[in-house]
Amino acid sequence: MRIGVLLLISSLLLLFFVSGCKETQSAEETGFKLVADNCISIGIKVFIDGEYECTVSADQPYFFPLSAGTYDLFARSNATLSISEPDPLCWTRQVSVSDGNITEVLLDCADAEDCNE
């Protein structure tokens, strides 16, 4: 008798946990991930649609959460790569972000433009 009751309770608990756990749909991240390549440890000031966002490190990727759309990205290093080239580095891009996706934006220091301020 005790084994039957124990089996019944175990079966009900198992049924409860299996049927009660519904897969929830989480909101997927939307935006772009900024990745620097061929850079020394510098800071990169990021502007999106002309507005300053923040300064990020070239040492690690940085995620910008944005809604779907197309954005003008301007990035400027806070240092130069050598004494012979005194101008900081700059990058300009148009970045398209689609809903539920993360777009990777690569800023390569070897292919950067001089800012010529």
Side-chain angles (χ1 to χ4, degrees):
M1 179 77 169
R2 288 183 183 168
I3 294 175
V5 172
L6 185 59
L7 285 174
L8 178 64
I9 292 172
S10 297
S11 298
L12 289 174
L13 285 174
L14 181 62
L15 181 64
F16 172 75
F17 284 116
V18 171
S19 65
C21 295
K22 295 184 180 178
E23 189 174 315
T24 58
Q25 194 174 26
S26 63
E28 294 184 37
E29 291 184 318
T30 301
F32 73 85
K33 179 173 63 169
L34 192 66
V35 179
D37 194 26
N38 297 317
C39 297
I40 58 173
S41 294
I42 58 174
I44 299 173
K45 294 179 180 182
V46 179
F47 298 81
I48 300 174
D49 288 340
E51 296 290 321
Y52 172 75
E53 295 296 318
C54 62
T55 300
V56 301
S57 172
D59 294 333
Q60 60 188 14
Y62 191 86
F63 177 70
F64 290 90
L66 296 168
S67 57
T70 301
Y71 300 91
D72 290 322
L73 169 69
F74 173 74
R76 178 184 180 276
S77 69
N78 66 352
T80 62
L81 294 182
S82 70
I83 295 173
S84 62
E85 295 183 31
D87 295 324
L89 303 176
C90 288
W91 300 266
T92 54
R93 305 268 191 290
Q94 266 204 332
V95 179
S96 294
V97 175
S98 56
D99 195 32
N101 291 311
I102 298 173
T103 303
E104 185 172 300
V105 177
L106 179 66
L107 301 181
D108 192 332
C109 285
D111 295 332
E113 307 162 5
D114 289 333
C115 285
N116 295 327
E117 296 181 315

